[in-house]
């Protein structure tokens, strides 16, 4: 066509820039309602492309190149022979193209559902996006009203990049390069921070040999095959990340201290620093028993906080180990190695997700902290997902479900619609386990500061900020790509909002999502975090090789597989993970000594110690328009006022980690029931029928939850043999009869 002939000698305006510019110009002129916008483009093929085009004003999209690609695929000899052989369903060309259209349509509907939108017409032009890396000129021209907090490329940069993407000659037959956007491709592929190369470097540092396992020669190997850890190899691991292509906002930052350096001997011990370490909420089911239990034992061993993830936990893990022999083996955990008496596999944090899989009174009362999963950093707007092949008989038993059936939690915002709903669930959890703090997991995105303030007022003890880089091994690509923002954005916004509203001393801030090194932790602390979660990197520390087949149940080293034969290949021990934590803690100590700080808590909230790195910003042209100082410079100065690091004066002003918010008068009836002599005798005797009566009013909330907690602590979920008849008269408040157990009536 004539248009194509013109394109042969020039290039095109990216459709997003074009549609946004036309859409907003028509709005400015008052003409947008008089016309429709149809985009004909070869640049749209994935669901996100269509979502962006529609979200910024397109009424329809004609993806001619995608449809032509389907046509070529359908007509190829390979496709036709596979259809003839029955390896592919036979389709006509029209059916194949309709299948593609249907797939895109389903993907768009899924995106709409994540946002809680029912109609595409409601999504069209709604601009429900946040931009990262786009400068003011681009935003004002094409994406007016969209948040872009750190600036970025201008129209000239976009034009240069567009021109670079076309072949030198229009008739060149060169094959398109696979840049490995989803799975790393060696040499010319896009950089992935987590890769098999990175895993190998870390394994060399912590003394892990992936060939040593229960399936090979572990029992004969000295120290279960754990080699001596190597400081030199950890330095190589660290340098590989420092010299890698820019991949995170923190890569553009550097430290600028206000003190002279001190001796490392004056710095807080590694043991104290490691108490701030946590593992990510990775469920038993997503991980194998070996991987999940090894992580829990390791982080408990260093005094940190392990996390169950959603899906429950085996009650055998409640008790500390006392049957470990001289070889580090235990009959309780015959599949693990490198154990010690006194080890605990019980997760410090037990998670409550929207599907409530495995959430029982015993699960809640055996936790030291309870986490409400309001969002998942890797895929905000969606619940957890466990593929059917990974739901073994053991996993199904823990989750009270059926073997082989895929388990998908509802989107969290379908479970909890408002801050009032969240406050009630926090109240329920504080009621059943008064000694456990409650944390709320939020995703890093614009507006998290307002939400964090509401969560603090709702009596949460901890707020977890999850970055968009958080990993998940069982999700479709459309779920985890283009969703969530870096934790640097969400953490700094939440910390600032809480501090400005006088709420920062009521909560502990925890962060996770791609944290790998001591440098990452130091930067996170300066932005306001007090605790730090390790997810994917902790899995790598116990043997993960980044094969990226978690969802297929075929993990070659048994980290994310439920198959018995693959689980035997699991190479990790708690010592490997502890070695990694020690390296990270020592790296933090070296940084603190260099900065002149002896106590870690003195770094928390000190964003004034961060500065933009001129060297890093100059590395590539794309970052020349980035400006971090304006955004991170808005974090309130807390250099002199450090009161937010302690609990409120009303709660004693001690360490926040030692304080748990307690339900007020709304739980008085619960306490009265639990302290009733007849009720206490009935629980103690565990037989016969007991009847008691109480009056209730509608301000009495979560009534029955404390009683369920007392019973489960003594007898578990099904051990109450007697009948406890509680007769209640009046109008009940919210969550009446929460967590009721068999035998409670």
């Amino acid at each position: 066509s004539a248009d194509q002939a013109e394109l042969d000698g020039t290039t095109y305006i990216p459709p997003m820039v074009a549609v946004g510019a036309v859409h907003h110009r028509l709005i400015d002129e008052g003409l947008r309602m008089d016309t429709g916008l149809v985009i004909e483009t070869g640049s749209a093929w994935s669901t996100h492309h269509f979502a962006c085009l529609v979200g910024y004003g397109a009424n329809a999209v004609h993806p001619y190149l995608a449809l032509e690609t389907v046509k070529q695929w359908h007509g190829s000899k390979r496709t036709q022979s596979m259809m003839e052989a029955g390896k592919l369903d036979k389709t006509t060309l029209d059916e194949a193209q309709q299948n593609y259209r249907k797939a895109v349509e389903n993907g768009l509907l899924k995106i709409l559902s994540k946002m809680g939108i029912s109609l595409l017409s409601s999504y069209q032009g709604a601009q429900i996006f946040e931009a990262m890396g786009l400068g003011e000129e681009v935003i004002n021209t094409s994406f007016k009203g969209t948040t872009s907090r750190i600036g970025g490329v201008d129209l000239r940069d976009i034009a240069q990049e567009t021109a670079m993407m076309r072949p030198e000659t229009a008739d060149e037959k060169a094959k398109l390069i696979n840049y490995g956007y989803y799975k790393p491709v060696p040499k010319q592929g896009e950089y992935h921070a987590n890769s098999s190369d990175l895993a190998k470097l870390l394994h060399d540092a912590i003394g892990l040999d992936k060939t040593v396992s229960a399936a090979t020669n572990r029992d004969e190997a000295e120290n279960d095959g754990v080699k001596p850890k190597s400081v030199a190899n950890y330095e190589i691991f660290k340098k590989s990340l420092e010299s890698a292509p820019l991949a995170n906002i923190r890569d553009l930052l550097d430290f600028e201290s206000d003190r002279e350096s001190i001796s490392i001997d004056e710095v807080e011990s590694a043991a104290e620093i490691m108490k701030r370490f946590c593992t990510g909420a990775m469920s038993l089911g997503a991980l194998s028993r070996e991987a999940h239990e090894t992580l829990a034992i390791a982080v408990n061993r260093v005094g940190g906080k392990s996390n169950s993830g959603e899906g429950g936990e085996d009650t055998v893990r409640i008790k500390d180990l006392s049957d470990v022999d001289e070889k580090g083996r235990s009959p309780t955990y015959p599949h693990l190695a490198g154990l010690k008496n006194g080890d605990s596999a019980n997760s410090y944090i037990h998670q409550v997700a929207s599907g409530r899989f495995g959430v029982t009174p015993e699960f809640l009362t055996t936790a030291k902290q309870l986490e409400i999963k309001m969002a998942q950093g890797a895929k905000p707007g969606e619940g957890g997902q466990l593929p059917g092949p990974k739901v073994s008989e053991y996993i199904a038993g823990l989750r009270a479900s059926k073997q082989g059936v895929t388990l998908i939690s509802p989107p969290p915002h379908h479970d909890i619609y408002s801050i009032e709903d969240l406050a009630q669930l926090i109240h329920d959890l504080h009621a059943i386990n008064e000694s456990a703090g409650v944390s709320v997991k939020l995703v890093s995105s614009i507006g998290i500061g307002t939400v964090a303030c509401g969560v603090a007022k709702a009596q949460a003890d901890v707020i977890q900020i999850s970055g968009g880089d958080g990993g998940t091994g069982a999700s479709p690509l459309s779920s985890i790509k283009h969703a969530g923002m870096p934790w640097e954005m969400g953490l700094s916004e939440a910390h600032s909002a809480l501090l400005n509203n006088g709420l920062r001393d009521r909560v502990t801030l925890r962060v996770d999502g791609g944290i790998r090194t001591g440098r990452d932790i130091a930067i996170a602390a300066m932005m306001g975090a007090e605790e730090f979660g390790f997810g994917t990197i902790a899995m790598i520390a116990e043997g993960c090789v980044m094969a990226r087949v978690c969802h297929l149940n075929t993990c070659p080293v048994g980290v994310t597989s439920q198959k018995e034969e693959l689980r035997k290949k699991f190479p990790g021990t708690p010592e490997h993970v502890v070695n990694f934590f020690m390296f990270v803690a020592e790296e933090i100590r070296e940084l603190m000594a260099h900065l002149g700080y002896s106590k870690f808590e003195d770094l928390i909230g000190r964003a004034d110690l961060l500065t933009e790195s001129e060297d890093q910003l100059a590395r590539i042209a794309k970052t020349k328009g980035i400006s971090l100082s304006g955004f991170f410079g808005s974090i309130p100065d807390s250099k002199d006022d450090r009161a937010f690091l302690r609990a409120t004066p009303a709660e004693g002003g001690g360490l926040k980690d030692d304080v748990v918010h307690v339900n007020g008068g709304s739980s008085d009836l619960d306490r009265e029931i639990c302290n009733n002599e007849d009720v206490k005798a009935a629980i103690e005797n565990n037989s016969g029928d007991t009847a008691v009566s109480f009056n209730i009013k509608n301000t009495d909330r979560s009534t029955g939850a404390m009683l369920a907690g007392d019973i489960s602590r003594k007898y578990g979920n099904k051990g109450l043999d007697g009948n406890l008849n509680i007769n209640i008269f009046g109008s009940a408040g919210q969550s009446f009869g929460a967590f009721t157990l068999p035998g409670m009536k």
Side-chain angles (χ1 to χ4, degrees):
S1 67
D3 290 345
Q4 186 59 49
E6 187 175 329
L7 273 178
D8 289 345
T10 177
T11 188
Y12 63 97
I13 298 173
M16 278 297 295
V17 176
V19 71
V22 173
H23 174 69
H24 281 290
R25 181 60 186 272
L26 289 171
I27 291 173
D28 292 343
E29 299 293 335
L31 300 170
R32 183 63 184 90
M33 300 303 290
D34 297 340
T35 186
L37 290 179
V38 179
I39 312 302
E40 184 178 51
T41 177
S43 299
W45 63 85
S46 78
T47 52
H48 181 66
H49 298 155
F50 291 94
C52 288
L53 289 168
V54 173
Y56 279 98
N59 296 91
V61 181
H62 175 216
Y64 68 87
L65 188 59
L67 294 172
E68 180 64 27
T69 303
V70 174
K71 181 181 178 181
Q72 289 191 16
W73 168 84
H74 185 272
S76 69
K77 289 182 180 179
R78 185 168 182 266
T79 302
Q80 289 298 319
S81 62
M82 290 179 75
M83 286 184 184
E84 290 298 327
K87 294 180 180 178
L88 285 175
D89 290 341
K90 283 190 177 183
T91 58
T92 64
L93 172 58
D94 184 59
E95 287 172 339
Q97 291 180 329
Q98 286 299 324
N99 286 345
Y100 168 74
R101 182 183 176 189
K102 184 66 176 173
V104 172
E105 218 168 80
N106 288 341
L108 281 172
L109 290 174
K110 181 178 180 181
I111 292 171
L112 264 62
S113 73
K114 284 200 284 188
M115 303 306 300
I117 294 173
S118 302
L119 299 171
L120 189 64
S121 56
S122 299
Y123 188 81
Q124 193 246 333
Q127 300 192 180
I128 308 176
F129 296 89
E130 179 176 355
M132 191 170 74
L134 293 181
E136 191 175 351
E137 180 190 27
V138 180
I139 295 294
N140 290 340
T141 302
S142 300
F143 312 117
K144 201 177 292 182
T146 299
T147 300
S148 183
R149 292 185 272 181
I150 59 172
V153 296
D154 56 22
L155 290 171
R156 180 181 291 273
D157 296 325
I158 293 174
Q160 288 176 343
E161 185 161 296
T162 304
M164 286 169 59
M165 289 179 69
R166 71 183 300 281
E168 286 303 313
T169 57
D171 59 350
E172 187 175 332
K173 303 298 182 184
K175 188 176 180 181
L176 290 175
I177 297 170
N178 176 5
Y179 287 107
Y181 292 132
Y182 296 123
K183 215 169 184 180
V185 175
K187 295 179 184 176
Q188 57 193 3
E190 184 184 55
Y191 169 68
H192 287 243
N194 291 325
S195 65
S196 55
D197 292 338
L198 183 88
K200 177 70 169 64
L201 291 174
L202 184 58
H203 292 167
D204 290 343
I206 61 178
L208 187 145
D209 183 347
K210 67 181 182 183
T211 65
V212 177
S213 66
T216 56
N217 59 339
R218 174 185 278 164
D219 289 339
E220 290 77 44
E222 184 181 350
N223 193 28
D224 294 316
V226 181
K227 298 176 181 177
K229 61 184 179 182
S230 167
V231 175
N233 283 335
Y234 184 76
E235 285 298 316
I236 295 171
F237 162 78
K238 200 169 66 173
K239 291 293 182 188
S240 76
L241 287 169
E242 290 172 2
S243 60
L246 300 175
N248 305 288
I249 290 177
R250 57 189 177 275
D251 295 341
L252 301 174
L253 294 171
D254 211 341
F255 302 111
E256 188 176 58
S257 186
D258 57 351
R259 299 184 185 180
E260 294 293 322
S261 297
I262 59 174
S263 166
I264 197 167
D265 297 331
E266 300 175 42
V267 176
E268 187 175 351
S269 69
E272 284 300 310
I273 291 171
M274 287 191 292
K275 290 178 182 177
R276 298 179 180 273
F277 292 177
C278 312
T279 49
M282 298 174 285
S283 70
L284 176 54
L287 303 189
S288 64
R289 278 193 72 178
E290 289 78 358
H292 199 270
E293 290 164 359
T294 295
L295 274 183
I297 290 169
V299 76
N300 289 342
R301 197 181 278 183
V302 301
K305 296 178 176 69
S306 49
N307 194 316
S308 68
E310 69 170 298
E313 199 162 88
D314 198 330
T315 54
V316 74
R317 294 170 64 168
I318 296 170
K319 293 182 180 179
D320 292 354
L321 279 173
S322 58
D323 57 358
V324 181
D325 61 24
E326 65 280 358
K327 288 187 175 181
R329 302 292 191 276
S330 162
T332 311
Y333 301 93
H335 47 285
L336 299 185
L339 303 175
K340 298 177 181 179
N341 281 317
D343 276 342
S344 170
N346 185 34
S347 296
Y348 187 103
I349 304 166
H350 288 184
Q351 191 182 72
V352 178
S354 55
R356 301 290 193 274
F357 296 120
V359 177
T360 64
E362 188 172 22
F363 176 73
L364 298 174
T365 53
T366 52
K368 294 176 183 173
Q369 191 176 110
L370 297 167
E371 180 176 89
I372 299 171
K373 182 182 181 181
M374 265 308 300
Q376 191 164 327
K379 48 173 185 173
E382 295 185 54
Q385 179 174 337
L386 189 64
K390 297 184 77 168
V391 184
S392 64
E393 183 180 359
Y394 176 71
I395 301 302
L398 294 178
R399 299 192 178 209
S401 60
K402 191 174 180 181
Q403 182 178 350
V405 175
T406 297
L407 302 176
I408 303 177
S409 291
H413 54 290
H414 289 192
D415 175 49
I416 295 172
Y417 285 91
S418 65
I419 206 73
E420 290 80 14
D421 286 347
L422 181 63
Q424 183 55 44
L425 182 52
I426 292 170
H427 190 283
D428 296 343
L429 298 179
H430 274 143
I432 193 170
N433 190 348
E434 282 200 293
S435 63
V438 175
S439 61
V440 176
K441 185 176 183 180
L442 302 175
V443 71
S444 177
S445 63
I446 187 72
I448 192 175
T450 304
V451 177
C453 289
V455 171
K457 291 177 182 178
Q459 295 294 313
D461 302 275
V462 179
I463 295 176
Q464 163 107 19
I465 311 292
S466 284
D469 292 332
T472 180
S475 293
L477 293 174
S478 61
S479 296
I480 60 177
K481 298 296 177 183
H482 317 293
M485 294 294 282
W487 55 255
E488 293 95 325
M489 305 286 233
L491 173 61
S492 48
E493 183 184 341
H495 171 70
S496 301
L498 290 165
L499 210 51
N500 288 332
N501 287 281
L503 298 166
R504 187 63 183 83
D505 54 357
R506 292 175 62 165
V507 291
T508 296
L509 273 185
R510 181 185 300 141
V511 68
D512 73 353
I515 289 176
R516 297 176 187 86
T517 64
R519 182 181 185 276
D520 292 346
I521 286 176
I523 291 173
M526 292 172 187
M527 292 179 184
E530 295 157 273
E531 295 180 351
F532 313 89
F534 297 90
T536 305
I537 198 71
M539 287 170 54
I540 292 175
E542 60 177 353
C544 168
V545 294
M546 291 305 297
R548 286 179 165 84
V549 290
C550 313
H551 59 299
L552 300 177
N553 204 27
T554 57
C555 176
V557 287
V559 173
T560 61
S561 178
Q562 302 306 325
K563 292 181 179 177
E564 200 71 41
E565 66 275 15
L566 293 175
R567 286 171 49 199
K568 287 181 179 177
K569 296 182 180 181
F570 178 73
T573 68
E575 187 177 344
H576 289 125
V577 184
V578 170
N579 286 346
F580 168 66
F581 287 151
M582 280 296 298
F583 276 133
V584 173
E586 288 299 336
E587 182 190 347
I588 294 168
R589 294 184 72 235
E590 290 171 10
L591 277 169
M592 289 169 63
H594 175 69
L595 296 171
Y597 284 78
S598 59
K599 295 181 70 177
F600 185 84
E601 71 170 26
D602 291 340
L603 295 179
I604 297 170
R606 292 293 307 280
D608 57 297
L609 300 178
L610 292 171
T611 184
E612 288 181 293
S613 171
E614 296 298 331
D615 291 341
Q616 293 288 73
L617 284 168
R619 277 178 66 182
I620 56 173
K622 264 189 171 183
T623 55
K624 75 177 189 298
I626 297 287
S627 176
L628 303 179
S629 56
F631 179 67
F632 295 115
S634 65
I635 298 175
D637 184 4
S638 57
K639 180 178 179 180
D640 300 318
D641 184 2
R642 311 293 289 165
F644 73 89
L645 291 169
R646 296 290 180 266
T648 61
E651 293 177 310
L655 294 173
K656 283 191 274 187
D657 208 31
D658 298 333
V659 175
V660 173
H661 298 323
V662 177
N663 292 341
S666 53
S667 281
D668 283 348
L669 177 59
D670 241 3
R671 296 186 183 95
E672 184 184 345
I673 293 171
C674 291
N675 291 326
N676 181 279
E677 292 302 325
D678 290 338
V679 171
K680 288 162 74 173
I683 295 173
E684 189 64 36
N685 296 332
N686 195 25
S687 63
D689 289 357
T690 303
V692 289
S693 298
F694 298 93
N695 293 320
I696 194 171
K697 54 187 182 299
N698 60 10
T699 53
D700 293 322
R701 297 155 61 194
S702 313
T703 302
M706 282 186 185
L707 180 59
D710 287 350
I711 294 169
S712 66
R713 285 185 193 91
K714 197 166 183 65
Y715 302 115
N717 293 322
K718 299 177 182 177
L720 183 64
D721 293 330
N723 287 317
L724 191 49
N725 299 300
I726 314 292
N727 299 309
I728 304 289
F729 300 93
S731 298
Q734 291 169 297
S735 295
F736 177 72
F739 309 117
T740 301
L741 283 166
M744 291 174 62
K745 298 178 181 176

